[in-house]
Structures are given as structure tokens and as C-alpha cells.
Amino acid sequence: MATSPPSKRARIDTPEPDQPAAATTEGSAVGITEPDVGIIQYLGSHAGFSGVLKQRYTDFLVNEITPSGEVLHVKHVPTQAPPRPAQPKKEQRKKEEEKFVIDEIAEGEITGILGEECVLGLREVVKSGGSYETTKTFDDKDERKTIHQLIRTAYNSNVESKTTREYTFKFTKFAGNQGSNRRRDHRSKNQALATLDPVVVDNMGDREAFTHFTIFKENKESMDACHIIAKFLRMKPKSVTIAGTKDRRGVTVQRASIAHTPVERLVSLNKAFRDIVLSDFRYEKERIKLGDLCGNEFVITIRDVQLPSAGEKDVETMVNEALTSLAETGFINYFGMQRFGTHSVPTHEIGIKLLQKRYQEAAQLLLSVQPLVVPESVAAREQYARDPNDISSALKLMPRYCTAEVSILHGLERSSQDWLGAIMQIPRNLRIMYVHAYQSFVWNTVVSERIANFGLAVLEGDLVLDDTKKDNAQEDADDEFEEDVMDGLEFVTARSITAEEVREGKFTIFDVVMPSPGFDVVYPAHFDLRASYERIMAKEGLSPYKMRHNVKEFSLSGAYRHLLAMPGNVEWWCRRYSDPLQQMVRTDLDILRAREQTGIEPGRVLDQEEIPVGDRLAVILKLRMGSSQYATMALREVMKLETSRRGDMFDVKLFGTRDGQLVEPARSTFISEPASDLEENELSRKVAGAA
């Protein structure tokens, strides 16, 4: 185990959809640092190195790992054949008339109920249009229902039957001819299927309630992609469900589902999309829910790799040592910096106020003038600071995408002293994230103390997962919110390791779990570990043993998270190059197109022979991680860098240049709420390693 080396901090600007860069209101921006949220220790003793991350969005590839353990790839992008030529309208009508046959049995029953005169009138309606109304009244609802059904059956839905206020029947021929419309709809569906790619038809299965499909997206946030798909289908955004959010600045592949939507409608969307491709459709009985994944496979390109200082070993040797350490030792399973937000006031501080029931302070912190905020929100914050009673003026100035702030102002506009009510106007998944961020802060801090004091030795009183599963879900489980503190272990329990088990070496440090504070977890029996929870939380007047709250969603059951994480299938490649924007890897679509053109499937990483050699060094890292693990924490361990959100050290590299021209622009953006991604959201930035 290595203690924290002296680190150089890199400015990391977190991209979120459609939002501008953060502004500094006074002097340099002051953001939180890793030690502020308990991230202190390292495992390996190797030296770090510097590099550039996400200079191109293809430098960060993420492929979802399905519940079956398969790495998800785009297998087939559908093509659509040209539609068949439409028949002339006269010919269509003639065929429809030829196909129209009166159901004589049903018509006979109608005769028995309504009489022959009525049936003659109905036939005239079918033939010439117009209307016919009965003189007889029908007070019985069941009888009226039977007549409606018989009319539809007898005349093949060509006659519309309506009950008048006097309970007579009025019959008319459908203006649009519903029977014809239904047949036309059915025919159009068959024609749509006929134009579908045969591979799609062969794989989509029988029609079920949900359609599952793969989303391939470039440089777009997951929820943005879902909203765009829903918008084109004229459905609500939450109609499209995914297993987990993926990075914006990157190329990602993930599974999604939507209800009651035929495959042919989804296939047709590809013509309208620019940075999204839908593929690999299949009908299923159940929707995809948050958490329905095993993790993600990352392919990360680190450019311009350099050593912090000259030494006896060359840079490639040092890189190999660092990555070998990661593959063999793993990394501390910290919650990454994006967990704690992007403003000067970190999200866990808001969470503390909520748990303390100090709702006014929580709301005012969110609305406060801060050194690091969305620039368009500065005027609104200053207006609120000048006159807290003039809510409407502040609300007019606050950008709509500042979700938490706008929600609070709306609440205060309705009731200026109802601070809890204003907090509850914030979307549920967001306000829950504030208190979960505090759980993450406590977990990080306790884990750093445990490693600093006891290293990686397994202790009597450490916790390991019990084999016994709980019968009931925990009380704060929520289908609409993916809580990554749970590490996928929210429905299990834990027990303390005994002295005998320590002597026998029954468990390794990779078996040890630590709880996030809650009312439904077991805390370590080891005195010092338990005392860490008590001391850290006592600073805020909180207790690990009193985690129930009068606001139900702020009652935290807690969960277990492994102390260390071991990435799987770790591989890496070193490539020498000269062009700063040289692409190093192939995306799923690149591989698919190459296979279609040549019949040969190329590798994910370009061979050195495909890259003009130069003085620069790039490292391409491939690894698999669990759904609640942070790739930034793995990179932190490898490169010995601090991933703090500070704006006063290094400039962010936002644009590439070639021949004096900007290439691949990318905005540095901030949001007013915590990032919810389980993976990383960093833009390209220069990161400096530690000596």
C-alpha cells in the first residue's frame, strides 16, 4: 500500500447536456478537492504519469455488460428497402368493396331485435351513406352493448352505431370508413414488415409488450438520447428506459426498452438521427429497469503520456508497471468526484442540511451566490441575495435547466416560508441524490481511515457478505432511481469476521465490505472502524444508528460496498503517433462497416502499422468494471493524479487544432445538480501525474 503522494491537481470540467460553462464570480474558482470528500489513499507504490483524456470523444468507449455477462456490441444496423408502390385509390376502393361481405348470422340477430325495416335502413347506409335512426328505445345498457357489437360484426365495422340521449340508435357510415382504415392499417403494417431488413425480422421474435433495442451514441448524454427517441415517437421521455446512464463525451453502447412500439417505427428513426443509431431489436415481455446490467467495458485512450520527471526507467516501462499494478492489485473503490457535484457547494453538504432537517439552509445554499456556478444563473442568484422576498424576479432570471434552483423558487413563490415544501419541488431522483452523496462522503472517509490505520490486512470485526438473502427489499429502494452506493448488493446482509477466520486466512481484503450509513445495515464489530462512523457523523450532529427520517425518502437504509475493486480483463497497448488527433481505436460502427466492406473484422485498437509514428505516446487501456465503480478512480490509481474539480491549476484542453483550424469542439459545461452517471463525465483535460 502506498500513502498519498504529493499531487498536482488538474482542472476537470464535467460535461452535462445542453448547459454552458461554469462561471467564477470572484477571483479563481474554488471547487472541492479529493481530501474534502475523503479520497486520500492509493494502493500501488509505482510512480504516476501524465496524459490527456478525452481529447476526442472516441477516446472513451463504453460498452454495457448485460446481466448474462455479455459485452454488448452493435451486431447489425438495419437497412430499409424502398416501399412498394401504392395502388391507385380507385383500385383500392374496388378491392375493398369486393372483399366486403355482410355477416348474415349477425344480421339475422339484428333483425330479431330491431326489425326488418331497420335492417333495410342499415343496408342503405352501407351502400349509399347517410344515416338511419331507430324509433324504439333501449334502456338496458347490456342490451345496447350487444347491439353495438352485432352492428360491428354484421357490417364489418363499416357502420358506426351511436346511442342518442333518448336511448335510440343512430347509424351512419363512417366518414373515413373505419373498417377500411383498420384494414388499411393492417395492410400498412404488413407492408412495413415487408420493407424491414430480413435480419431484423428474423431476430425480433413474436410481438410482446416491450421492444428492446441497442442505442449507439456519440458525444451525447444517455438521457438526452432517450428524450430524443421519445420526442420523435411523440411519447413521454420516461417511456424509454435504460439500465444505467453513460458518459456524454464518449462513444457508448447500451440496451434500452420502450412499450407498445413496433420495431418498424424504431427502425425508421435512424433516418432522422445524426449521433444516435438504433439496432438489434427484439420483442420482450418485460421492460429494462435501472440496474439491469453487470457493469461496463471501457476502452480509454490516454494521449501525450509523459513522466513527471526524468529517471532511470523509460515512460513505457513505467506505464507497464502502473497498469500491471492495477491488474494485480486493483484500486480503492472510492465514490468519484462527480458524485459530489460541480458547484462550490458540494452535494453532500446539501444532503447534511436535509438530514439535519435544516431545510431553509439547504434551499438557501442551492440559491446562493457561489464562486463556481452556471454563468447564466449568476444574475438570478444575485437578485435573490439582494431581495429574498422578490421570488418572481429571481425566477425570471434563473435558467430553466437549473432544475433544483427553479424548483425551489417555484415552491417559494407559492409559499414563501414553506422551506420543506420548496425542497420537495425538486425532482425526486435529484433530491435523493443529495442525501446519498452524504452517505458516499462518510463511506470514502471511513475507508481512507481504515486503510491509513490498518493497511490491507483483514481484521477481526471487518464485514463480509453473508450468504443469506433478505426476504424483503429495503425501504428506500426506488424503481426510478439507481443508487450506486448499493454496489449491486442492496438486498444482502453482512456479518463480522471472527478471530478464527482471520487466523485461517478464510477471507482476503477483496471480500471485505463497508456499509454506507443506514438503519438497515450492520456496522463493523471492530471498535476503531465503528468509532470512525460515529466520530465523522457526530461532527454534523448525526448518528449512524439514527438514520430514519420523518421525510420517508430521506430515511436511508444503507448498503454494502466492497472496500477494493478489481477490474476485469485488463489489457493495454502503447502507440507512438505524431498527429494530436490521430484516432487510436475503432468504434462498434467502424468495425461493423469494415466487416461489411471487406468480410474481415478488424481489431478494436489500431495496429502501430496503421498509425504514422511520431514522438508522442498514447496508451489505450481496456478494462471491465462493475456498474457502481468509477473509472476515474481506476485512472487515479494508475496515473497517481488527483481528480479534484479545481479551476486554478491547469487549463482544460477543449479543442484540437490542425493547420490552425479548430477541430472537434467540445463545451466545458456545468450543471446545478450532481452528476448521476455511474461512469465518468470528464471532458478532455490535461492531467498531471505525481512524482
Side-chain angles (χ1 to χ4, degrees), residues 567-594:
N569 299 79
V570 180
E571 299 179 75
W572 64 91
W573 299 260
C574 292
R575 296 289 182 263
R576 292 285 178 179
Y577 68 103
S578 56
D579 184 348
L581 297 178
Q582 170 68 50
Q583 186 158 332
M584 302 291 172
V585 297
R586 297 180 178 91
T587 68
D588 275 21
L589 288 190
D590 292 335
I591 293 172
L592 192 62
R593 288 164 184 157

PDB file of all heavy atoms in Angstrom, residues 567-594:
ATOM      1  N   PRO A 567     -10.623  -4.532 -11.398  1.00  0.00           N
ATOM      2  CA  PRO A 567     -11.152  -4.517 -12.762  1.00  0.00           C
ATOM      3  C   PRO A 567     -10.864  -5.833 -13.460  1.00  0.00           C
ATOM      4  O   PRO A 567      -9.872  -6.507 -13.165  1.00  0.00           O
ATOM      5  CB  PRO A 567     -10.411  -3.351 -13.418  1.00  0.00           C
ATOM      6  CG  PRO A 567      -9.156  -3.203 -12.623  1.00  0.00           C
ATOM      7  CD  PRO A 567      -9.494  -3.612 -11.226  1.00  0.00           C
ATOM      8  N   GLY A 568     -11.723  -6.195 -14.378  1.00  0.00           N
ATOM      9  CA  GLY A 568     -11.542  -7.454 -15.095  1.00  0.00           C
ATOM     10  C   GLY A 568     -11.006  -7.241 -16.498  1.00  0.00           C
ATOM     11  O   GLY A 568     -11.151  -6.165 -17.080  1.00  0.00           O
ATOM     12  N   ASN A 569     -10.385  -8.281 -17.028  1.00  0.00           N
ATOM     13  CA  ASN A 569      -9.924  -8.290 -18.426  1.00  0.00           C
ATOM     14  C   ASN A 569      -9.095  -7.055 -18.772  1.00  0.00           C
ATOM     15  O   ASN A 569      -9.312  -6.402 -19.793  1.00  0.00           O
ATOM     16  CB  ASN A 569     -11.118  -8.400 -19.378  1.00  0.00           C
ATOM     17  CG  ASN A 569     -11.908  -9.667 -19.169  1.00  0.00           C
ATOM     18  OD1 ASN A 569     -12.714  -9.746 -18.233  1.00  0.00           O
ATOM     19  ND2 ASN A 569     -11.693 -10.665 -20.006  1.00  0.00           N
ATOM     20  N   VAL A 570      -8.134  -6.727 -17.907  1.00  0.00           N
ATOM     21  CA  VAL A 570      -7.310  -5.531 -18.133  1.00  0.00           C
ATOM     22  C   VAL A 570      -6.290  -5.810 -19.240  1.00  0.00           C
ATOM     23  O   VAL A 570      -5.516  -6.760 -19.166  1.00  0.00           O
ATOM     24  CB  VAL A 570      -6.582  -5.117 -16.839  1.00  0.00           C
ATOM     25  CG1 VAL A 570      -5.723  -3.874 -17.095  1.00  0.00           C
ATOM     26  CG2 VAL A 570      -7.590  -4.837 -15.729  1.00  0.00           C
ATOM     27  N   GLU A 571      -6.322  -4.976 -20.275  1.00  0.00           N
ATOM     28  CA  GLU A 571      -5.350  -5.044 -21.367  1.00  0.00           C
ATOM     29  C   GLU A 571      -4.937  -3.619 -21.707  1.00  0.00           C
ATOM     30  O   GLU A 571      -5.694  -2.671 -21.481  1.00  0.00           O
ATOM     31  CB  GLU A 571      -5.953  -5.695 -22.611  1.00  0.00           C
ATOM     32  CG  GLU A 571      -6.424  -7.126 -22.440  1.00  0.00           C
ATOM     33  CD  GLU A 571      -7.022  -7.668 -23.732  1.00  0.00           C
ATOM     34  OE1 GLU A 571      -6.255  -7.985 -24.667  1.00  0.00           O
ATOM     35  OE2 GLU A 571      -8.265  -7.738 -23.813  1.00  0.00           O
ATOM     36  N   TRP A 572      -3.747  -3.470 -22.263  1.00  0.00           N
ATOM     37  CA  TRP A 572      -3.330  -2.138 -22.688  1.00  0.00           C
ATOM     38  C   TRP A 572      -2.344  -2.228 -23.844  1.00  0.00           C
ATOM     39  O   TRP A 572      -1.694  -3.251 -24.067  1.00  0.00           O
ATOM     40  CB  TRP A 572      -2.732  -1.349 -21.537  1.00  0.00           C
ATOM     41  CG  TRP A 572      -1.459  -1.908 -20.943  1.00  0.00           C
ATOM     42  CD1 TRP A 572      -0.181  -1.612 -21.304  1.00  0.00           C
ATOM     43  CD2 TRP A 572      -1.356  -2.859 -19.875  1.00  0.00           C
ATOM     44  NE1 TRP A 572       0.709  -2.314 -20.535  1.00  0.00           N
ATOM     45  CE2 TRP A 572       0.019  -3.077 -19.639  1.00  0.00           C
ATOM     46  CE3 TRP A 572      -2.286  -3.543 -19.087  1.00  0.00           C
ATOM     47  CZ2 TRP A 572       0.475  -3.956 -18.665  1.00  0.00           C
ATOM     48  CZ3 TRP A 572      -1.831  -4.412 -18.115  1.00  0.00           C
ATOM     49  CH2 TRP A 572      -0.466  -4.616 -17.903  1.00  0.00           C
ATOM     50  N   TRP A 573      -2.295  -1.138 -24.595  1.00  0.00           N
ATOM     51  CA  TRP A 573      -1.434  -1.042 -25.761  1.00  0.00           C
ATOM     52  C   TRP A 573      -0.761   0.329 -25.756  1.00  0.00           C
ATOM     53  O   TRP A 573      -1.364   1.330 -25.351  1.00  0.00           O
ATOM     54  CB  TRP A 573      -2.243  -1.162 -27.053  1.00  0.00           C
ATOM     55  CG  TRP A 573      -2.985  -2.450 -27.225  1.00  0.00           C
ATOM     56  CD1 TRP A 573      -2.612  -3.528 -27.976  1.00  0.00           C
ATOM     57  CD2 TRP A 573      -4.259  -2.796 -26.643  1.00  0.00           C
ATOM     58  NE1 TRP A 573      -3.567  -4.520 -27.898  1.00  0.00           N
ATOM     59  CE2 TRP A 573      -4.579  -4.103 -27.087  1.00  0.00           C
ATOM     60  CE3 TRP A 573      -5.145  -2.140 -25.800  1.00  0.00           C
ATOM     61  CZ2 TRP A 573      -5.753  -4.750 -26.700  1.00  0.00           C
ATOM     62  CZ3 TRP A 573      -6.311  -2.773 -25.418  1.00  0.00           C
ATOM     63  CH2 TRP A 573      -6.604  -4.070 -25.870  1.00  0.00           C
ATOM     64  N   CYS A 574       0.479   0.389 -26.207  1.00  0.00           N
ATOM     65  CA  CYS A 574       1.190   1.655 -26.364  1.00  0.00           C
ATOM     66  C   CYS A 574       1.347   1.940 -27.858  1.00  0.00           C
ATOM     67  O   CYS A 574       1.702   1.036 -28.629  1.00  0.00           O
ATOM     68  CB  CYS A 574       2.568   1.610 -25.702  1.00  0.00           C
ATOM     69  SG  CYS A 574       2.495   1.505 -23.893  1.00  0.00           S
ATOM     70  N   ARG A 575       1.057   3.163 -28.256  1.00  0.00           N
ATOM     71  CA  ARG A 575       1.149   3.548 -29.668  1.00  0.00           C
ATOM     72  C   ARG A 575       1.896   4.879 -29.791  1.00  0.00           C
ATOM     73  O   ARG A 575       1.588   5.837 -29.083  1.00  0.00           O
ATOM     74  CB  ARG A 575      -0.241   3.687 -30.294  1.00  0.00           C
ATOM     75  CG  ARG A 575      -1.039   2.387 -30.353  1.00  0.00           C
ATOM     76  CD  ARG A 575      -0.457   1.433 -31.380  1.00  0.00           C
ATOM     77  NE  ARG A 575      -1.233   0.210 -31.491  1.00  0.00           N
ATOM     78  CZ  ARG A 575      -0.941  -0.935 -30.877  1.00  0.00           C
ATOM     79  NH1 ARG A 575       0.137  -0.993 -30.080  1.00  0.00           N
ATOM     80  NH2 ARG A 575      -1.676  -2.005 -31.048  1.00  0.00           N
ATOM     81  N   ARG A 576       2.873   4.916 -30.672  1.00  0.00           N
ATOM     82  CA  ARG A 576       3.587   6.144 -30.984  1.00  0.00           C
ATOM     83  C   ARG A 576       2.882   6.846 -32.143  1.00  0.00           C
ATOM     84  O   ARG A 576       2.473   6.200 -33.110  1.00  0.00           O
ATOM     85  CB  ARG A 576       5.035   5.837 -31.368  1.00  0.00           C
ATOM     86  CG  ARG A 576       5.884   5.314 -30.213  1.00  0.00           C
ATOM     87  CD  ARG A 576       6.256   6.435 -29.269  1.00  0.00           C
ATOM     88  NE  ARG A 576       7.039   5.964 -28.112  1.00  0.00           N
ATOM     89  CZ  ARG A 576       7.498   6.768 -27.169  1.00  0.00           C
ATOM     90  NH1 ARG A 576       7.261   8.073 -27.245  1.00  0.00           N
ATOM     91  NH2 ARG A 576       8.182   6.284 -26.163  1.00  0.00           N
ATOM     92  N   TYR A 577       2.723   8.180 -32.035  1.00  0.00           N
ATOM     93  CA  TYR A 577       1.976   8.910 -33.066  1.00  0.00           C
ATOM     94  C   TYR A 577       2.495  10.339 -33.148  1.00  0.00           C
ATOM     95  O   TYR A 577       3.225  10.817 -32.268  1.00  0.00           O
ATOM     96  CB  TYR A 577       0.486   8.903 -32.748  1.00  0.00           C
ATOM     97  CG  TYR A 577       0.104   9.704 -31.523  1.00  0.00           C
ATOM     98  CD1 TYR A 577      -0.482  10.962 -31.640  1.00  0.00           C
ATOM     99  CD2 TYR A 577       0.347   9.223 -30.228  1.00  0.00           C
ATOM    100  CE1 TYR A 577      -0.824  11.708 -30.513  1.00  0.00           C
ATOM    101  CE2 TYR A 577       0.005   9.950 -29.109  1.00  0.00           C
ATOM    102  CZ  TYR A 577      -0.577  11.199 -29.253  1.00  0.00           C
ATOM    103  OH  TYR A 577      -0.898  11.931 -28.138  1.00  0.00           O
ATOM    104  N   SER A 578       2.086  11.051 -34.208  1.00  0.00           N
ATOM    105  CA  SER A 578       2.505  12.443 -34.392  1.00  0.00           C
ATOM    106  C   SER A 578       1.308  13.388 -34.427  1.00  0.00           C
ATOM    107  O   SER A 578       1.348  14.458 -33.819  1.00  0.00           O
ATOM    108  CB  SER A 578       3.320  12.590 -35.683  1.00  0.00           C
ATOM    109  OG  SER A 578       2.576  12.117 -36.798  1.00  0.00           O
ATOM    110  N   ASP A 579       0.243  13.015 -35.124  1.00  0.00           N
ATOM    111  CA  ASP A 579      -0.944  13.866 -35.243  1.00  0.00           C
ATOM    112  C   ASP A 579      -1.698  13.863 -33.913  1.00  0.00           C
ATOM    113  O   ASP A 579      -2.135  12.812 -33.446  1.00  0.00           O
ATOM    114  CB  ASP A 579      -1.849  13.328 -36.357  1.00  0.00           C
ATOM    115  CG  ASP A 579      -3.062  14.210 -36.614  1.00  0.00           C
ATOM    116  OD1 ASP A 579      -3.328  15.114 -35.800  1.00  0.00           O
ATOM    117  OD2 ASP A 579      -3.751  13.988 -37.624  1.00  0.00           O
ATOM    118  N   PRO A 580      -1.892  15.040 -33.284  1.00  0.00           N
ATOM    119  CA  PRO A 580      -2.571  15.069 -31.982  1.00  0.00           C
ATOM    120  C   PRO A 580      -3.977  14.479 -32.013  1.00  0.00           C
ATOM    121  O   PRO A 580      -4.480  14.023 -30.991  1.00  0.00           O
ATOM    122  CB  PRO A 580      -2.624  16.565 -31.642  1.00  0.00           C
ATOM    123  CG  PRO A 580      -1.570  17.189 -32.467  1.00  0.00           C
ATOM    124  CD  PRO A 580      -1.463  16.374 -33.718  1.00  0.00           C
ATOM    125  N   LEU A 581      -4.606  14.480 -33.206  1.00  0.00           N
ATOM    126  CA  LEU A 581      -5.972  13.981 -33.317  1.00  0.00           C
ATOM    127  C   LEU A 581      -6.054  12.617 -33.983  1.00  0.00           C
ATOM    128  O   LEU A 581      -7.129  12.186 -34.413  1.00  0.00           O
ATOM    129  CB  LEU A 581      -6.834  14.990 -34.089  1.00  0.00           C
ATOM    130  CG  LEU A 581      -6.991  16.348 -33.414  1.00  0.00           C
ATOM    131  CD1 LEU A 581      -7.818  17.289 -34.277  1.00  0.00           C
ATOM    132  CD2 LEU A 581      -7.625  16.200 -32.044  1.00  0.00           C
ATOM    133  N   GLN A 582      -4.951  11.915 -34.056  1.00  0.00           N
ATOM    134  CA  GLN A 582      -4.943  10.573 -34.633  1.00  0.00           C
ATOM    135  C   GLN A 582      -5.903   9.660 -33.870  1.00  0.00           C
ATOM    136  O   GLN A 582      -5.834   9.544 -32.648  1.00  0.00           O
ATOM    137  CB  GLN A 582      -3.531   9.981 -34.558  1.00  0.00           C
ATOM    138  CG  GLN A 582      -3.434   8.506 -34.901  1.00  0.00           C
ATOM    139  CD  GLN A 582      -3.723   8.230 -36.356  1.00  0.00           C
ATOM    140  OE1 GLN A 582      -3.153   8.877 -37.237  1.00  0.00           O
ATOM    141  NE2 GLN A 582      -4.608   7.276 -36.625  1.00  0.00           N
ATOM    142  N   GLN A 583      -6.843   9.034 -34.583  1.00  0.00           N
ATOM    143  CA  GLN A 583      -7.750   8.091 -33.925  1.00  0.00           C
ATOM    144  C   GLN A 583      -6.995   6.796 -33.630  1.00  0.00           C
ATOM    145  O   GLN A 583      -6.284   6.268 -34.474  1.00  0.00           O
ATOM    146  CB  GLN A 583      -8.974   7.802 -34.792  1.00  0.00           C
ATOM    147  CG  GLN A 583     -10.005   6.938 -34.079  1.00  0.00           C
ATOM    148  CD  GLN A 583     -11.396   7.080 -34.667  1.00  0.00           C
ATOM    149  OE1 GLN A 583     -11.729   8.117 -35.225  1.00  0.00           O
ATOM    150  NE2 GLN A 583     -12.205   6.035 -34.535  1.00  0.00           N
ATOM    151  N   MET A 584      -7.173   6.284 -32.412  1.00  0.00           N
ATOM    152  CA  MET A 584      -6.429   5.113 -31.954  1.00  0.00           C
ATOM    153  C   MET A 584      -7.269   3.843 -31.927  1.00  0.00           C
ATOM    154  O   MET A 584      -6.715   2.744 -31.879  1.00  0.00           O
ATOM    155  CB  MET A 584      -5.880   5.372 -30.540  1.00  0.00           C
ATOM    156  CG  MET A 584      -4.987   6.582 -30.425  1.00  0.00           C
ATOM    157  SD  MET A 584      -3.420   6.349 -31.293  1.00  0.00           S
ATOM    158  CE  MET A 584      -2.730   8.007 -31.157  1.00  0.00           C
ATOM    159  N   VAL A 585      -8.587   4.006 -31.918  1.00  0.00           N
ATOM    160  CA  VAL A 585      -9.466   2.849 -31.766  1.00  0.00           C
ATOM    161  C   VAL A 585     -10.584   2.911 -32.790  1.00  0.00           C
ATOM    162  O   VAL A 585     -10.846   3.953 -33.393  1.00  0.00           O
ATOM    163  CB  VAL A 585     -10.064   2.793 -30.350  1.00  0.00           C
ATOM    164  CG1 VAL A 585      -8.982   2.621 -29.298  1.00  0.00           C
ATOM    165  CG2 VAL A 585     -10.901   4.033 -30.068  1.00  0.00           C
ATOM    166  N   ARG A 586     -11.257   1.795 -32.959  1.00  0.00           N
ATOM    167  CA  ARG A 586     -12.432   1.720 -33.820  1.00  0.00           C
ATOM    168  C   ARG A 586     -13.680   1.574 -32.961  1.00  0.00           C
ATOM    169  O   ARG A 586     -13.690   0.783 -32.014  1.00  0.00           O
ATOM    170  CB  ARG A 586     -12.329   0.539 -34.790  1.00  0.00           C
ATOM    171  CG  ARG A 586     -11.161   0.618 -35.773  1.00  0.00           C
ATOM    172  CD  ARG A 586     -11.140  -0.597 -36.696  1.00  0.00           C
ATOM    173  NE  ARG A 586     -10.058  -0.516 -37.664  1.00  0.00           N
ATOM    174  CZ  ARG A 586      -8.831  -1.015 -37.459  1.00  0.00           C
ATOM    175  NH1 ARG A 586      -8.555  -1.630 -36.304  1.00  0.00           N
ATOM    176  NH2 ARG A 586      -7.898  -0.902 -38.384  1.00  0.00           N
ATOM    177  N   THR A 587     -14.697   2.307 -33.303  1.00  0.00           N
ATOM    178  CA  THR A 587     -15.976   2.155 -32.616  1.00  0.00           C
ATOM    179  C   THR A 587     -16.692   0.920 -33.147  1.00  0.00           C
ATOM    180  O   THR A 587     -16.269   0.301 -34.131  1.00  0.00           O
ATOM    181  CB  THR A 587     -16.864   3.384 -32.836  1.00  0.00           C
ATOM    182  OG1 THR A 587     -17.268   3.430 -34.218  1.00  0.00           O
ATOM    183  CG2 THR A 587     -16.128   4.670 -32.468  1.00  0.00           C
ATOM    184  N   ASP A 588     -17.799   0.570 -32.525  1.00  0.00           N
ATOM    185  CA  ASP A 588     -18.587  -0.569 -32.999  1.00  0.00           C
ATOM    186  C   ASP A 588     -19.023  -0.382 -34.451  1.00  0.00           C
ATOM    187  O   ASP A 588     -19.007  -1.331 -35.243  1.00  0.00           O
ATOM    188  CB  ASP A 588     -19.829  -0.750 -32.113  1.00  0.00           C
ATOM    189  CG  ASP A 588     -19.534  -1.570 -30.876  1.00  0.00           C
ATOM    190  OD1 ASP A 588     -18.348  -1.664 -30.494  1.00  0.00           O
ATOM    191  OD2 ASP A 588     -20.484  -2.119 -30.281  1.00  0.00           O
ATOM    192  N   LEU A 589     -19.425   0.840 -34.803  1.00  0.00           N
ATOM    193  CA  LEU A 589     -19.853   1.082 -36.185  1.00  0.00           C
ATOM    194  C   LEU A 589     -18.683   1.002 -37.151  1.00  0.00           C
ATOM    195  O   LEU A 589     -18.835   0.512 -38.273  1.00  0.00           O
ATOM    196  CB  LEU A 589     -20.528   2.450 -36.292  1.00  0.00           C
ATOM    197  CG  LEU A 589     -21.921   2.588 -35.672  1.00  0.00           C
ATOM    198  CD1 LEU A 589     -22.547   3.925 -36.068  1.00  0.00           C
ATOM    199  CD2 LEU A 589     -22.839   1.439 -36.080  1.00  0.00           C
ATOM    200  N   ASP A 590     -17.504   1.480 -36.731  1.00  0.00           N
ATOM    201  CA  ASP A 590     -16.311   1.358 -37.581  1.00  0.00           C
ATOM    202  C   ASP A 590     -16.027  -0.112 -37.891  1.00  0.00           C
ATOM    203  O   ASP A 590     -15.754  -0.477 -39.038  1.00  0.00           O
ATOM    204  CB  ASP A 590     -15.089   1.969 -36.880  1.00  0.00           C
ATOM    205  CG  ASP A 590     -15.188   3.478 -36.731  1.00  0.00           C
ATOM    206  OD1 ASP A 590     -15.900   4.108 -37.528  1.00  0.00           O
ATOM    207  OD2 ASP A 590     -14.561   4.017 -35.793  1.00  0.00           O
ATOM    208  N   ILE A 591     -16.097  -0.945 -36.862  1.00  0.00           N
ATOM    209  CA  ILE A 591     -15.817  -2.381 -37.033  1.00  0.00           C
ATOM    210  C   ILE A 591     -16.871  -3.020 -37.922  1.00  0.00           C
ATOM    211  O   ILE A 591     -16.560  -3.825 -38.819  1.00  0.00           O
ATOM    212  CB  ILE A 591     -15.759  -3.072 -35.658  1.00  0.00           C
ATOM    213  CG1 ILE A 591     -14.545  -2.567 -34.867  1.00  0.00           C
ATOM    214  CG2 ILE A 591     -15.715  -4.593 -35.808  1.00  0.00           C
ATOM    215  CD1 ILE A 591     -14.500  -3.037 -33.429  1.00  0.00           C
ATOM    216  N   LEU A 592     -18.142  -2.651 -37.704  1.00  0.00           N
ATOM    217  CA  LEU A 592     -19.236  -3.233 -38.480  1.00  0.00           C
ATOM    218  C   LEU A 592     -19.110  -2.877 -39.955  1.00  0.00           C
ATOM    219  O   LEU A 592     -19.259  -3.734 -40.840  1.00  0.00           O
ATOM    220  CB  LEU A 592     -20.568  -2.728 -37.916  1.00  0.00           C
ATOM    221  CG  LEU A 592     -21.835  -3.424 -38.394  1.00  0.00           C
ATOM    222  CD1 LEU A 592     -21.835  -4.893 -38.007  1.00  0.00           C
ATOM    223  CD2 LEU A 592     -23.062  -2.727 -37.797  1.00  0.00           C
ATOM    224  N   ARG A 593     -18.828  -1.617 -40.240  1.00  0.00           N
ATOM    225  CA  ARG A 593     -18.703  -1.183 -41.636  1.00  0.00           C
ATOM    226  C   ARG A 593     -17.509  -1.833 -42.323  1.00  0.00           C
ATOM    227  O   ARG A 593     -17.588  -2.231 -43.495  1.00  0.00           O
ATOM    228  CB  ARG A 593     -18.585   0.338 -41.684  1.00  0.00           C
ATOM    229  CG  ARG A 593     -19.888   1.049 -41.352  1.00  0.00           C
ATOM    230  CD  ARG A 593     -19.673   2.504 -41.039  1.00  0.00           C
ATOM    231  NE  ARG A 593     -20.911   3.162 -40.634  1.00  0.00           N
ATOM    232  CZ  ARG A 593     -20.972   4.260 -39.905  1.00  0.00           C
ATOM    233  NH1 ARG A 593     -19.839   4.839 -39.493  1.00  0.00           N
ATOM    234  NH2 ARG A 593     -22.126   4.804 -39.579  1.00  0.00           N
ATOM    235  N   ALA A 594     -16.402  -1.943 -41.582  1.00  0.00           N
ATOM    236  CA  ALA A 594     -15.216  -2.588 -42.164  1.00  0.00           C
ATOM    237  C   ALA A 594     -15.504  -4.054 -42.486  1.00  0.00           C
ATOM    238  O   ALA A 594     -15.082  -4.569 -43.531  1.00  0.00           O
ATOM    239  CB  ALA A 594     -14.037  -2.472 -41.201  1.00  0.00           C
TER     240      ALA A 594
END
